[in-house]
Amino acid sequence: MRLGAQGRLVLPAPVRKAMGLHTGDTLLCIREGNRIVLRQRRAVEEDLWERFGKVKKSLARELIADRRREAKLEAGR
């Protein structure tokens, strides 16, 4: 593959076929050190649902509560 003038990459047809990629599919570009990893968005979403789908608590509420506690501590300094 070669990087184009506008920073575009063209994935070779055999790679697209093997990965089941089609025109319009959304890919996520993830930097891991000096590597670039492309993942299908739907695969990432499936991984997240598998990992967090069984969580009973609201992760958003938990994060908001954490931020409020931190803000109180900072205000008291």
Side-chain angles (χ1 to χ4, degrees):
M1 293 180 7
R2 191 169 278 161
L3 190 62
Q6 294 181 336
R8 295 181 185 176
L9 294 174
V10 175
L11 296 176
V15 172
R16 293 192 311 267
K17 186 176 181 180
M19 300 277 310
L21 297 172
H22 304 283
T23 301
D25 283 353
T26 302
L27 301 176
L28 299 178
C29 181
I30 303 161
R31 191 183 111 204
E32 293 181 354
N34 64 350
R35 298 184 314 155
I36 295 172
V37 177
L38 296 176
R39 293 202 58 205
Q40 293 169 303
R41 180 183 172 143
R42 68 178 176 267
V44 172
E45 289 173 349
E46 288 170 3
D47 287 350
L48 290 172
W49 277 112
E50 185 177 315
R51 185 172 178 183
F52 296 109
K54 297 174 185 166
V55 174
K56 302 260 190 250
K57 295 181 180 180
S58 168
L59 295 177
R61 284 189 190 138
E62 203 172 310
L63 179 61
I64 290 168
D66 285 348
R67 296 295 180 254
R68 287 184 177 150
R69 281 191 292 275
E70 289 172 7
K72 275 186 182 180
L73 288 173
E74 287 182 15
R77 288 183 186 175

